[in-house]
Amino acid sequence: MRQKSAICLWLLAVGSWAQTNHVWRTDSLQEVVVTGTGTQHLLKDAPVQTEVITSKMLRSYGGKSLEDILSGLTASFAFSEDDMGSQMQLNGLGNNYILILIDGKRIHGDVGGQNDLSLIDPHNIEKIEIVKGASSALYGSDAIAGVVNIITKKHNEGLLFENSTRGGSYGDLRQHNGLGLAVGRLKSYTNFQLQHSDGWQNTATEDPSQTEFLITDSRNKTVNRHTNWQVSERLTYEPTKNIELYAEGSTYWKRIYRPSGKYASDMKFYDLQYRNQSLAAGGKWYLGGKKKEEGNIMTLDVNWDRHAYYYYYTAEWAMGDGFDQQGNFTTYYPYFRDDEVLQSDQRRTMAHLKGIFSLPYDNRLSAGLEWRYDYLEAPMRVEGGVARDNTEALYVQDEWRRPIYGGNATVYLTPGLRLNHNPQFGNRLTPKVSGMLSIGNDFRLRATWSQGFKTPTPKEQHYRYVKYMNGTYLYIGNEDLTPQTSNYYAVSGEYNWQGLNVTVTGYVNDVDNMITLVTIPNTQAPAAYIVTYDPKKTRQYQNLESAKTKGVDVSVRYRLNRDWMLGGSYSYLDTEAKQYDTTHERLTDVVIDGTAHHKGSWFAMWSHEFSRKYNMGIGLYGRMSSKRYYQIDGDGKGYQIWRMSTNHEFSAARKWLFRVEAGIDNIFNYVDRTPHGLHLGTTTPGRTIYATVTVRFAQGKNLKFTNNNKSNSKTNENETD
């Protein structure tokens, strides 16, 4: 407590000193954002409330992953990482309802499951834009809780080489290499990333209520040892001044090594292995206008993604999952050491044609066509081995702007409508309308009503798997699921004054027929599964009768002067969900897994350019969460974690830039020692240290300090639309 009090007093002293100096306006308001409307706006003029994690914040924080960045720099997100993925949650709704974009395009990963966010290289992120609430009218399915758009760095140097190596506690290794070439109108950027961790064990105790006797020497780890790498390539070509073409692709591999112990709860017969591939091509055509930001725009994007998941066996035999490779039900299926057996192969093909047109009377029209095809092959997890789904959509959106009261105020109105067609579930119209009243430069009032629509995924309908830990858990799909719909209402106020930016948002997200895993009596599961596995618990995807999340988000950022910036965010969340109990024929309250009533984050950043050859930055960060609630296996404990980071940049020559980062995460060494088999509030292993060394060479462009506060925040406005 003395350490925490000292830090708070230090921040207050700094704030008192800085207020006596000249105050600079918040430069983040000049960021160009695109996610809320799909078109470019300055952040202060965006009619849809958008939260931005700027490049300056990213560099100061020094996060090792997207999960680390989002949980540390905004209060609305929560993560429960495990071997199957990130298990992200935004304002009470889980991963299935959060759309992740990279430069406006969907991330490839586990469709209908837990996306692996290690697909995203944190070294290549320029900034992150977050739009909360239903955005299905513009983005379609998966956008009921919100949209996270990762804007990557754009490389325009003639020749670019960059190397970044990060090492940290528990064998943490992060490697990034980039090679950029520009020859005339042709540009190429090749990106390589490698990530490794030895994993860690917060406790060797198994949940006593789930074991026949007390186990205190389990080999189960909190986070298992894992390695992944990715290679990606992007080519762009401009045949004329008004046309841009691109082609890109990537390949990704990941292995999760699981130790095997002497108890039933920690006997592991196989490791987990993933292989992803992606291909994309498209272009942009600027219709008229001498500058790219003027006139009308047409874009076409076509992409194919694959996410394959395997068991890599480390023992001579193992129990089968129910269906053999021919689709026949079986009790046991023999495997041998080093066998690699496919569990699921998910492929997605998409095509998207979009136009943005300037109309008279301050109107801008966006319209698009989308086609999506999902293919799931899971020989031992789906009856028949294969499941398919496809969706077509047409959408339109109008942006209208009109000055009022002699130009002292401006009204923005953005209505939109989407028509979805799915062969299983028919047609569905999804409307939305957003509006903003801007009064001078200091005050903005925004309001949004939008509907969400999401059809069940092939995995939710057909997938089945068994989990062995402290007993047998059976998870099964449900072919009787119906589509989910939602109504999202939000009102926010934003105030800006001499470097101070305060935003308060109240929201309600009312989801009908929400799909979630529900614990059901074994008597309601298929008899063949019960006879084979005799599960302790059976969980099935079901539609809830109703689910509602509501809360308040508060964000404060204060630019004290050119060197100092303070900020923080707070999120209050309350949820309601009801499920029909067929056994007792009544509605019962159900917990939405992973929700916490209170979450917060805060930061203090200082950076200073001492000379043209040296720049230094220091950051102090904190985050907290109250108890997280779950239907089964206990609740996650509340926690508070502090972090400090430093960075130093050296310019040795006009073409070379060197950067050194170092930091301590979890300064006060908090560790959740909850026994295995129960939910954790956080998986942190305790106090960890890290250091990163970056070398960057660019020919054809003089390198400048990336922490320079005089830099133009609009650098990438032409590349992010």
Side-chain angles (χ1 to χ4, degrees), residues 560-574:
L560 295 170
N561 55 27
R562 192 178 295 280
D563 294 339
W564 278 95
M565 186 173 183
L566 304 179
S569 59
Y570 166 76
S571 179
Y572 170 77
L573 171 69
D574 194 14

Side-chain angles (χ1 to χ4, degrees), residues 44-65:
K44 65 184 182 65
D45 297 328
V48 178
Q49 181 66 46
T50 305
E51 182 177 352
V52 178
I53 299 177
T54 66
S55 57
K56 180 177 175 62
M57 296 174 67
L58 290 170
R59 289 189 294 269
S60 176
Y61 187 72
K64 66 179 181 180
S65 64

Side-chain angles (χ1 to χ4, degrees), residues 521 524 579-588:
Q524 295 181 12
Q579 170 69 24
Y580 185 72
D581 184 346
T582 56
T583 303
H584 301 93
E585 297 185 345
R586 65 185 181 188
L587 287 175
T588 59

Side-chain angles (χ1 to χ4, degrees), residues 90-156:
L90 171 60
N91 283 352
L93 296 178
N95 193 91
N96 290 352
Y97 303 94
I98 306 168
L99 180 60
I100 308 294
L101 305 174
I102 300 180
D103 292 327
K105 304 175 185 64
R106 291 170 178 261
I107 185 177
H108 65 284
D110 189 356
V111 180
Q114 304 299 333
N115 282 324
D116 182 2
L117 297 182
S118 61
L119 287 161
I120 301 171
D121 185 354
H123 291 284
N124 203 33
I125 299 176
E126 176 66 24
K127 64 178 179 179
I128 302 172
E129 298 178 9
I130 302 164
V131 174
K132 301 170 186 175
S135 300
S136 295
L138 189 61
Y139 292 106
S141 189
D142 306 331
I144 287 181
V147 179
V148 179
N149 192 6
I150 312 299
I151 308 298
T152 61
K153 296 176 181 177
K154 302 303 181 290
H155 305 283
N156 300 311

Side-chain angles (χ1 to χ4, degrees), residues 83 196-197 221 223-227 253 255-259 270-273:
D83 289 346
H196 173 82
S197 172
K221 287 190 173 185
V223 172
N224 284 319
R225 182 167 69 97
H226 58 273
T227 303
W253 177 90
R255 177 83 171 269
I256 298 174
Y257 304 88
R258 309 196 308 164
Y270 50 84
D271 293 337
L272 307 180
Q273 192 158 289

Side-chain angles (χ1 to χ4, degrees), residues 170-188:
Y170 301 97
D172 186 62
L173 173 66
R174 312 276 164 157
Q175 178 66 38
H176 162 82
N177 293 97
L179 177 64
L181 296 170
V183 180
R185 296 177 178 178
L186 179 65
K187 298 176 183 177
S188 167

Side-chain angles (χ1 to χ4, degrees), residues 9 163 256 487 500 515 571 609:
L9 290 173
N163 176 88
I256 298 174
N487 281 281
L500 174 67
I515 296 175
S571 179
E609 185 174 325

Side-chain angles (χ1 to χ4, degrees), residues 377-397:
E377 179 183 352
M380 290 172 288
R381 296 180 178 234
V382 172
E383 192 167 2
V386 172
R388 300 177 176 86
D389 188 43
N390 65 278
T391 301
E392 301 83 36
L394 164 69
Y395 68 90
V396 293
Q397 175 188 265

